Amino acid sequence: MSEHRRKPPQSQGGGRAAARRAAQQASGRRAAPSREAVSASPSGSYEEEPPYGGRAAARRAAQRGGRRRGGDDGGARRGGSGRGEPYKKRLIDYPRQGKYGWRRWVPSWKQTTGLGIAFVGSILAAGTIAYAVVGVPNVQEASKAENNVYYWDDGSQMIATGGEVNRQIVGISQIPDAMQKAVVSAENKSFYDDSGVDPMGIGRALVNMAKGGNTQGGSTITQQYVKNARLGDQSQTLSRKFKELFISMKVGTEMKKPEIMAGYLNTSYYGRGAFGIQAAARTYYGKDAVDLNASECALLATLLKGATYYDPAGQTSIDPRATSEANTERATKRWSWILDEMVKDGYLEQSERAKYTKFPTPDGVKKNTQQGGQIGYLVDLAKAYFVNNNTKGYTADDLSRGGFEIHTTFNKKKVEQLNKAVKKVYDANIDPKKRPETDTHVQFGGASVEPETGKIVAIYGGQDATKHFTNNADQTGAQVGSTFKPFVLAAAMRDGVRDPADGTRTPISPDKTIYNGDNKLKIKNYDGSIWTNEEDKEWLQVNDGDKSYGPIDLRYAMQESANSPFVQLGMDVGIPQVRDAAIDAGLLNSSLSQSNVPSFSIGISDPSAIRMAGAYGTFAASGKQRDPFSVTKVLKSGETVYKHEDKEKRVFDQPVADNVTDVLKTVVEKGTGTNAQLPGREVAGKTGTTDGNKSAWFVGYTPQLSTAIDMYRMDDDATNKNREFLKMFGTGDQAKIHGASFPSEIWHDYMVEALKGQPPVKFPEPEPIGESWYGGGTSPSPTPSETPSETPSETPSETPSETPSETPSDTPSSSESCDLPFGCTDGGPGGNGGPGGNGGSGGETNSPPPSPGESDDNNGGIFGGPGG
């Protein structure tokens, strides 16, 4: 044998047996360590265990053994810890003994099974107890009617409505089988087989609630019956859901299906104040429920999904999206779907279904005479405000059930004064019998808002809420024309006009900024390039009466309501910035045109009178904006469920807002708004008239009150699906209706009375603001004369042409386009497009759309070139 291959020494530890002996002796006597060294040579034998290495080696050996055998052998098997220590017996072995690392925290299968059984058992026990304890509420007590009481701003009662619920109970024999089957097919196909609840539906509702969503959508017909007839609490909370669940289970057990069906159809709300199938049949079709056919039944079943969005008459007082057209489209689709489902479910023969191809249009809306005059408009406005702003989830259906006290901002005296002012002008000037071609379908709308609070103190919605159903104080589609120009001016002072060279912005001064006021002005982009539409047509902006003013400052342009300067100013500022300024002032983005076209700056948008009054109120409040509101608080059963919170926003610096006001004072003092002057009071305001003469406005304010008045012609018959704005040439025996005529006259008469007894208050003195500027992206030229080369009359022409007298060529001659000392062809100082802006509508006439698809209600500009 080679001397380099020595026989390794024998282990003294005895391998695994020694390790076990060491583990047993660890807590007793001390084991003697091996006195022989272990060979470290890699050539040594690897078939034998290393020698015993003392207590540490014994512990490591014990741990290795426990890991290999899952801790169940060795000491663990004998109830020890693996280190010679016995386990302490516990009722619940958790964390688990004898396990190491993450395994200590993993329950055993026995523990998991036991926990599951205990959980299910506790749920079953709780459910059994709840089912046994819960009582079924009495139908008559839960479904009795209550009043909604509306109050004026001084706390006196305006109206109590809702107490006489339109409901007549009928037996199941008087309810058509088609109606019963329609709701089963549409809402609860398992109705005849289920126990009154749908576990999967309840689960979905609970998951939605946990996510913060709507808890509705999982209810069976039985549950809906319980909610409608037996639960006074309509809230969507976890406790109410569980209460509804157990009551529904009990009702499903104790009542027969025909009884449940009759109860459901007799207590459900179908819209228009109709509770129950009999009232719905009379309200929508003027017949008894028993006489309804399958098609009519399918429509009434459609309404159960929510009359606000499925009543073909529309519910815009609750939600502007719930128009007659949109609702009819939704209702038609669901009506057809229900009939098809009835065929699939075997409830309706295909031959019978084939008869119903035409939508069963219901009768028109008939309003309660108690809500005649302005009261109906006030109630609808307050109701819509509460529904859209409360945080507790109350809906229009909840309000229809009654029990609410609604405290409004409406001032009874001011509402009467506004109604009186409109009636005076209408009776003195509008005569449909004498002038049927021009004086029919004349409408007025108005709203009055406190700038310091945002309270809507008065509105004029129309002649009678029981006959004219559109609230004219709300959005009607009537374009605002030149009353939009103050937002362009505010944007120019706040955001600045863009330099044509590098796009840098310069806030301007209304008195030191000069723009081209000529008629048929060629509109340019801020960089001096000619603006063209997608058809490559240029834009020529016209003024009311085809007047040309020459180079004028913005104060004078506002005073005379010249279109050209503000159209080009809007282009120089940027239409997005003008839109932002209008939104910041308080207009809704949804009411503004989304086209970045020249006509945007002079009023092709159609905000409501309420919002226009509120936005002008922002200028009156020196740049502090508050949304208009109509409800101060709402109580139910003595508990306050809604309270208005004042939310003031600073949207314009005070110098910007006060300078807008100062310019608008000039309009009333010596411009187009002189009819609105109030003796002894400072007034700021603006007229607005659209070309085509389809609407006219006056919006004005004092420091205490901001009021908007609009006038237009439109057939308001709900059955007329092709309603459109009509021209007002000749209306009221006037050649043309301007904002300076009837609207400003109504504004004046109302404000005289509304402010009676209040001391005159002056507007803040405006600080100097902005820089000098020559519009159209040009470089400064010699300062033009402060007095325009032509001084037009203060009152616009009474007989301006409806459209420009001629269609210009692609490049108009200088004589056609301007009369400026600094160059007509190029249109302004520096020869770069001239003072002017981004063509549009407004002024005393509004511009036509630059492209197909835009409304032509504001034709105040024309395209150059053929077909322009």
Side-chain angles (χ1 to χ4, degrees):
M1 179 186 297
S2 168
E3 62 182 11
H4 295 292
R5 293 180 61 82
R6 290 179 291 183
K7 183 178 180 180
Q10 295 293 321
S11 170
Q12 300 298 314
R16 295 179 181 174
R20 286 196 294 272
R21 288 194 298 273
Q24 293 170 0
Q25 297 167 0
S27 60
R29 68 182 182 279
R30 199 177 189 89
S34 172
R35 301 177 185 274
E36 294 187 25
V38 179
S39 173
S41 171
S43 62
S45 172
Y46 54 80
E47 296 179 354
E48 296 189 27
E49 294 287 332
Y52 172 64
R55 295 174 64 189
R59 284 195 297 271
R60 289 193 294 272
Q63 292 170 357
R64 287 195 299 273
R67 293 191 184 100
R68 284 195 298 271
R69 298 171 177 79
D72 291 333
D73 64 335
R77 182 176 297 164
R78 293 185 294 273
S81 65
R83 296 183 176 89
E85 298 177 0
Y87 288 155
K88 294 181 180 179
K89 292 185 178 181
R90 296 183 293 176
L91 180 63
I92 300 176
D93 183 22
Y94 193 83
R96 297 170 64 192
Q97 300 183 93
K99 301 295 181 182
Y100 300 91
W102 59 270
R103 291 182 177 86
R104 285 170 49 82
W105 305 99
V106 178
S108 68
W109 68 269
K110 293 180 180 180
Q111 292 172 330
T112 303
T113 302
L115 184 63
I117 293 173
F119 177 76
V120 173
S122 62
I123 293 295
L124 292 175
T128 301
I129 294 172
Y131 182 84
V133 171
V134 70
V136 179
N138 184 279
V139 175
Q140 286 75 20
E141 291 181 359
S143 61
K144 68 180 182 180
E146 295 182 85
N147 283 328
N148 284 327
V149 183
Y150 292 80
Y151 297 90
W152 296 105
D153 65 345
D154 62 359
S156 60
Q157 182 173 310
M158 178 197 305
I159 185 176
T161 180
E164 297 179 2
V165 171
N166 183 13
R167 178 193 289 129
Q168 298 89 44
I169 304 298
V170 293
I172 192 67
S173 62
Q174 298 298 304
I175 300 175
D177 186 66
M179 185 67 200
Q180 301 176 46
K181 298 305 191 290
V183 296
V184 170
S185 289
E187 300 183 27
N188 184 193
K189 291 180 182 292
S190 64
F191 170 70
Y192 291 111
D193 301 314
D194 63 38
S195 61
V197 297
D198 176 9
M200 294 298 293
I202 292 291
R204 287 193 301 270
L206 294 176
V207 170
N208 288 340
M209 185 183 66
K211 293 180 178 179
N214 197 327
T215 60
Q216 298 176 346
S219 298
T220 63
I221 286 176
T222 304
Q223 287 175 266
Q224 293 178 63
Y225 164 60
V226 167
K227 180 178 67 174
N228 293 341
R230 296 178 178 268
L231 284 178
D233 178 15
Q234 297 293 322
S235 62
Q236 295 294 314
T237 62
L238 184 62
S239 62
R240 198 206 64 79
K241 272 291 178 186
F242 275 112
K243 187 177 182 181
E244 174 191 303
L245 172 66
F246 289 113
I247 294 176
S248 298
M249 292 170 63
K250 217 163 193 181
V251 167
T253 302
E254 297 176 357
M255 292 180 65
K256 297 179 180 180
K257 293 296 183 179
E259 293 178 283
I260 296 173
M261 177 61 72
Y264 170 60
L265 293 176
N266 274 316
T267 57
S268 294
Y269 183 60
Y270 297 79
R272 302 191 191 179
F275 285 85
I277 183 62
Q278 174 67 4
R282 299 295 303 174
T283 298
Y284 286 90
Y285 292 110
K287 61 174 69 174
D288 292 327
V290 72
D291 297 324
L292 294 169
N293 62 38
S295 178
E296 293 164 342
C297 289
L299 187 277
L300 295 183
T302 293
L303 294 173
L304 294 175
K305 190 171 178 65
T308 298
Y309 299 102
Y310 288 89
D311 181 354
Q315 295 281 346
T316 53
S317 63
I318 299 299
D319 189 334
R321 297 171 297 177
T323 63
S324 175
E325 293 76 12
N327 280 15
T328 299
E329 181 179 354
R330 282 188 285 263
T332 301
K333 290 180 180 178
R334 187 165 176 82
W335 161 79
S336 180
W337 174 79
I338 290 176
L339 289 175
D340 292 340
E341 289 298 303
M342 292 174 69
V343 173
K344 291 179 184 178
D345 297 336
Y347 297 142
L348 185 67
E349 294 293 335
Q350 181 61 53
S351 58
E352 181 74 7
R353 168 67 180 92
K355 297 178 183 179
Y356 304 124
T357 58
K358 184 179 179 181
F359 182 71
T361 303
D363 298 340
V365 178
K366 306 176 186 68
K367 286 204 173 184
N368 188 339
T369 56
Q370 188 184 13
Q371 297 188 34
Q374 298 303 306
I375 297 298
Y377 302 123
L378 299 173
V379 167
D380 285 348
L381 187 61
K383 182 192 300 183
Y385 184 86
F386 172 61
V387 168
N388 292 322
N389 290 278
N390 80 87
T391 59
K392 294 184 178 292
Y394 288 112
T395 66
D397 288 359
D398 294 324
L399 273 175
S400 69
R401 294 184 179 94
F404 293 87
E405 296 180 23
I406 297 121
H407 293 259
T408 77
T409 60
F410 306 130
N411 182 276
K412 184 177 181 180
K413 183 177 291 187
K414 288 182 173 61
V415 169
E416 292 173 347
Q417 291 163 342
L418 182 53
N419 182 67
K420 183 178 179 181
V422 174
K423 190 175 185 301
K424 175 185 174 183
V425 168
Y426 186 96
D427 291 346
N429 299 280
I430 309 301
D431 193 339
K433 293 182 179 180
K434 184 178 180 180
R435 293 180 294 272
E437 296 299 318
T438 60
D439 285 18
T440 54
H441 310 305
V442 173
Q443 301 291 339
F444 290 96
S448 197
V449 175
E450 286 184 356
E452 290 188 357
T453 63
K455 291 180 179 179
I456 305 171
V457 296
I459 64 169
Y460 180 85
Q463 289 186 337
D464 192 325
T466 63
K467 300 175 183 177
H468 172 81
F469 305 128
T470 301
N471 186 347
N472 295 347
D474 213 336
Q475 192 172 354
T476 61
Q479 296 179 341
V480 296
S482 283
T483 57
F484 197 80
K485 290 175 181 175
F487 306 119
V488 185
L489 179 61
M493 290 191 289
R494 182 182 70 175
D495 302 316
V497 295
R498 294 171 288 183
D499 189 288
D502 57 13
T504 56
R505 291 184 175 274
T506 301
I508 56 90
S509 163
D511 296 305
K512 299 178 182 179
T513 297
I514 308 299
Y515 269 84
N516 191 336
D518 275 356
N519 189 49
K520 300 179 185 178
L521 179 71
K522 184 183 295 185
I523 300 304
K524 299 189 177 184
N525 296 306
Y526 84 93
D527 61 3
S529 61
I530 302 297
W531 186 93
T532 59
N533 69 353
E534 60 267 30
E535 297 177 357
D536 202 33
K537 293 180 180 179
E538 298 176 354
W539 182 275
L540 300 179
Q541 182 59 51
V542 303
N543 292 322
D544 186 40
D546 292 335
K547 291 182 180 179
S548 288
Y549 296 88
I552 54 176
D553 62 42
L554 293 180
R555 181 184 293 273
Y556 189 78
M558 187 77 77
Q559 172 186 314
E560 298 302 316
S561 203
N563 290 334
S564 298
F566 285 97
V567 171
Q568 187 61 55
L569 177 63
M571 296 300 280
D572 292 348
V573 174
I575 301 303
Q577 284 69 32
V578 174
R579 183 181 292 107
D580 288 345
I583 293 171
D584 289 343
L587 301 187
L588 297 176
N589 186 40
S590 59
S591 71
L592 301 179
S593 169
Q594 299 304 305
S595 298
N596 294 331
V597 295
S599 55
F600 181 84
S601 294
I602 46 177
I604 61 173
S605 300
D606 56 6
S608 68
I610 292 172
R611 284 286 171 173
M612 285 297 287
Y616 271 49
T618 299
F619 299 131
S622 295
K624 296 177 182 178
Q625 190 270 336
R626 291 176 174 84
D627 283 338
F629 70 101
S630 57
V631 176
T632 56
K633 63 180 179 180
V634 177
L635 284 71
K636 183 172 177 59
S637 302
E639 177 189 355
T640 300
V641 296
Y642 170 79
K643 188 173 184 179
H644 174 75
E645 295 181 6
D646 182 37
K647 296 179 181 179
E648 172 195 295
K649 293 182 292 184
R650 165 67 70 180
V651 296
F652 299 113
D653 290 340
Q654 184 167 344
V656 171
D658 289 349
N659 272 275
V660 171
T661 294
D662 195 59
V663 171
L664 295 183
K665 281 174 58 181
T666 305
V667 174
V668 176
E669 290 170 355
K670 51 185 177 180
T672 60
T674 54
N675 281 351
Q677 293 177 359
L678 301 177
R681 294 184 185 274
E682 290 191 346
V683 174
K686 184 70 188 76
T687 55
T689 308
T690 59
D691 197 60
N693 208 206
K694 295 181 179 179
S695 60
W697 289 72
F698 185 81
V699 187
Y701 55 94
T702 68
Q704 300 109 312
L705 202 58
S706 178
T707 300
I709 303 294
D710 66 323
M711 177 183 177
Y712 57 92
R713 290 180 65 212
M714 185 175 68
D715 183 0
D716 191 53
D717 185 355
T719 63
N720 179 8
K721 302 302 181 183
N722 298 313
R723 287 175 290 177
E724 61 179 10
F725 288 92
L726 306 174
K727 297 176 181 179
M728 293 190 292
F729 294 107
T731 297
D733 205 24
Q734 300 289 315
K736 181 179 181 179
I737 301 298
H738 290 86
S741 56
F742 297 147
S744 66
E745 185 179 341
I746 292 171
W747 188 95
H748 170 272
D749 292 350
Y750 162 70
M751 292 290 280
V752 166
E753 297 298 321
L755 294 172
K756 188 174 291 185
Q758 297 186 39
V761 178
K762 291 189 175 182
F763 291 114
E765 197 68 28
E767 300 178 16
I769 191 173
E771 304 293 333
S772 300
W773 189 263
Y774 291 83
T778 64
S779 301
S781 295
T783 303
S785 170
E786 293 183 2
T787 302
S789 57
E790 176 185 351
T791 304
S793 61
E794 294 185 358
T795 303
S797 170
E798 292 298 324
T799 57
S801 61
E802 180 183 348
T803 57
S805 58
E806 60 182 279
T807 301
S809 62
D810 288 340
T811 306
S813 67
S814 60
S815 62
E816 288 178 322
S817 60
C818 71
D819 184 23
L820 300 179
F822 42 75
C824 295
T825 301
D826 290 331
N832 192 24
N838 193 10
S841 64
E844 291 310 300
T845 57
N846 288 338
S847 305
S851 61
E854 283 283 343
S855 168
D856 64 352
D857 289 346
N858 294 294
N859 296 331
I862 55 177
F863 297 121

